[in-house]
Each structure stands twice: as C-alpha cells, then as structure tokens.
C-alpha cells in the first residue's frame, strides 16, 4: 500500500480508477486492487496501522486460520461492495480492517475462551469507535460506509464459520466427567436397578447350640460329690 502511494506521489499519478465502481464489469478488478489505493497519506496511515496490529494478532492467535480468514474477508467484502455499494469509486483497506476487528471480537465470544475474550476486549478498547463507521448518518459523503459494513459482515461470518476450528477453550476434568455421565451429574447417587419378583428369602441355618448334662456319683460310691466330666 505504501509502495503504491509512493509511486503515485513520485510520478504524480492518481490510481483512484482502480477502486471498486459497483455493478460495472470493467471495475471487477477493483475487488483486488481497491485495498492498495488510498486518497492521501492520512487515509493510508489510518488503515495501515490497525491493519498491521490486527493482522499480527490474527496470525499469532489463529495461525492455522489466518490466511483463510484474511482472504475470505478480502474477497467477500469487495464482492459485496461491488454488488451493493453506491455508484462511486470505493478505495482503501478499511473494509479489511473492519473485517479483522469484527472477526477477532466475535471469535473470542463464540469460543468462550478467556484468552481470546481478552483479545476481544482489547479490540473494543482500541477500535470500538469503528462501529459508527458502518452507519451512513455518522459518515461524510466521501467515506465508504458500505465497505465498512460489508467488511464487518465478512468478519462475523468467518468468526461463526470457523468457531470450531483453531484455538479452543480448555476442557477441565470435571467438565469431561459431566459430559460422560450426563444423567447423574451432581447427584452423588449410584444407579439403582429394580427387578420385579418376590424378594429373596434367607435360608435358615441349623441351630449350633450344645446341651450339656452333668452326672454325679453317689456319696456311697465315691465318698464325695465331685462331678464327673461333662458329656455332650
């Protein structure tokens, strides 16, 4: 983007015709070239800085998805802009900036990951004011609010579509146990099985009691009353 602007300035050229002019077939190439064209240095700086920051965050936290997400936002928002934008030349990379910021925000929410939600909050803190750029009443006639809106829509679509890919929320052991036994979660009770029929009758054991008899000799026979050993 900076190289293109440098060429424009050095050779005193205007590449505005390489932007997107909606519903004109000769402007289809603008879907690819539009993000490289900017009106002035201020416009270029306001897009390139957040694009660098958000792109770095995307690559760091969503390494496996970064290229796919970037390309989808790039081409989707440009195509939608060509189909539904005002009949005027639309230039700049602000649509991609909106797409990346919305993707990072909603992706953390959809995944319910603390780290990614922290990134979502950081995006809100840094670029929360971008939300007003999607409404025509808050933007001047020279600002392409349609590119902002379609970029945000593309970012939201990517966040939802790829919500089950890439980094996921950490699963704890207690969550895994709940998922494996959803019927008995938190009850602390064991499963009880009832079988119809008569209850079992305990068998009676034979009595083990012992009867002891004592025999005594008469005093005439033994001279005393000493008992004889008991017999069972």
């Amino acid at each position: 983007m900076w190289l293109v602007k440098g060429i424009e300035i050095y050779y005193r050229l205007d590449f505005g015709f390489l932007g997107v002019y909606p519903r004109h077939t000769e402007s289809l190439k603008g879907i690819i070239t539009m993000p490289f064209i900017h009106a002035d240095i201020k416009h270029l700086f306001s897009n390139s800085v957040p694009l660098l920051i958000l792109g770095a965050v995307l690559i760091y936290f969503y390494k496996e998805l970064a290229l796919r997400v970037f390309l989808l936002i790039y081409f989707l928002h440009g195509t939608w802009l060509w189909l539904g934008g005002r009949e005027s030349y639309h230039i700049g990379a602000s649509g991609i900036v909106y797409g990346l910021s919305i993707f990072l925000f909603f992706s953390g929410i959809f995944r319910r990951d603390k780290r990614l939600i922290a990134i979502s909050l950081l995006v809100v803190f840094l670029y929360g004011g971008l939300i007003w750029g999607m409404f025509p009443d808050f933007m001047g006639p020279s600002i392409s609010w349609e590119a902002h809106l379609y970029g945000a829509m593309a970012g939201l679509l990517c966040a939802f579509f790829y919500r089950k890919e890439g980094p996921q929320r950490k699963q704890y052991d207690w969550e895994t146990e709940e998922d494996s036994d959803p019927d008995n979660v938190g009850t602390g009770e064991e499963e009880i099985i009832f079988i119809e029929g008569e209850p079992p009758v305990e068998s009676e054991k034979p009595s083990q009691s012992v009867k002891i008899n004592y025999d005594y000799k008469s005093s005439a026979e033994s001279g005393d009353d000493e008992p004889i050993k008991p017999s069972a």
Side-chain angles (χ1 to χ4, degrees):
M1 293 188 298
W2 282 89
L3 178 62
V4 170
K5 177 53 65 178
I7 293 175
E8 281 186 302
I9 295 174
Y10 185 80
Y11 290 102
R12 297 182 180 180
L13 300 174
D14 184 2
F15 291 153
F17 67 94
L18 294 177
V20 170
Y21 200 97
R23 294 173 297 281
H24 284 67
T25 55
E26 65 274 10
S27 184
L28 282 171
K29 62 181 180 297
I31 296 175
I32 299 176
T33 58
M34 174 185 66
F36 296 95
I37 313 301
H38 291 82
D40 50 34
I41 295 296
K42 181 181 178 181
H43 184 207
L44 175 60
F45 186 80
S46 64
N47 281 340
S48 59
V49 172
L51 188 62
L52 177 63
I53 296 174
L54 296 173
V57 173
L58 177 69
I59 294 174
Y60 183 82
F61 288 97
Y62 298 90
K63 184 177 181 180
E64 299 176 357
L65 303 176
L67 182 59
R68 282 179 283 173
V69 169
F70 182 83
L71 291 178
L72 279 174
I73 293 174
Y74 192 111
F75 287 102
L76 279 178
H77 100 280
T79 302
W80 292 342
L81 180 61
W82 185 86
L83 293 172
R86 289 171 293 169
E87 289 193 350
S88 177
Y89 281 106
H90 298 259
I91 59 175
S94 55
I96 300 177
V97 172
Y98 272 77
L100 293 180
S101 60
I102 293 298
F103 171 82
L104 292 173
F105 177 76
F106 281 101
S107 185
I109 295 177
F110 290 153
R111 298 166 192 271
R112 296 185 298 171
D113 187 296
K114 293 181 180 180
R115 300 171 304 165
L116 301 180
I117 290 177
I119 297 300
S120 301
L121 296 177
L122 178 62
V123 171
V124 172
F125 177 76
L126 294 177
Y127 304 110
L130 294 177
I131 188 67
W132 305 113
M134 296 185 290
F135 301 98
D137 294 339
F138 292 92
M139 307 304 295
S142 62
I143 305 299
S144 178
W145 61 269
E146 300 101 315
H148 302 168
L149 176 61
Y150 294 135
M153 291 171 55
L156 178 60
L157 180 64
C158 289
F160 180 79
F161 185 78
Y162 290 113
R163 68 189 186 281
K164 295 183 180 180
E165 297 186 38
Q168 298 295 327
R169 184 171 65 93
K170 181 180 178 181
Q171 293 288 334
Y172 296 94
D173 294 338
W174 61 269
E175 293 178 311
T176 305
E177 292 174 0
E178 287 183 357
D179 294 339
S180 62
D181 190 13
D183 295 333
N184 294 326
V185 174
T187 61
E189 299 177 357
E190 296 181 354
E191 184 177 4
I192 301 176
I193 301 176
F194 296 94
I195 303 176
E196 296 182 357
E198 296 295 332
V201 179
E202 295 183 359
S203 59
E204 297 182 357
K205 296 182 179 180
S207 177
Q208 301 294 331
S209 60
V210 177
K211 184 177 181 181
I212 302 175
N213 296 323
Y214 292 89
D215 296 330
Y216 292 86
K217 293 181 179 180
S218 63
S219 58
E221 296 176 348
S222 59
D224 54 14
D225 293 334
E226 181 181 357
I228 305 175
K229 293 181 180 180
S231 60

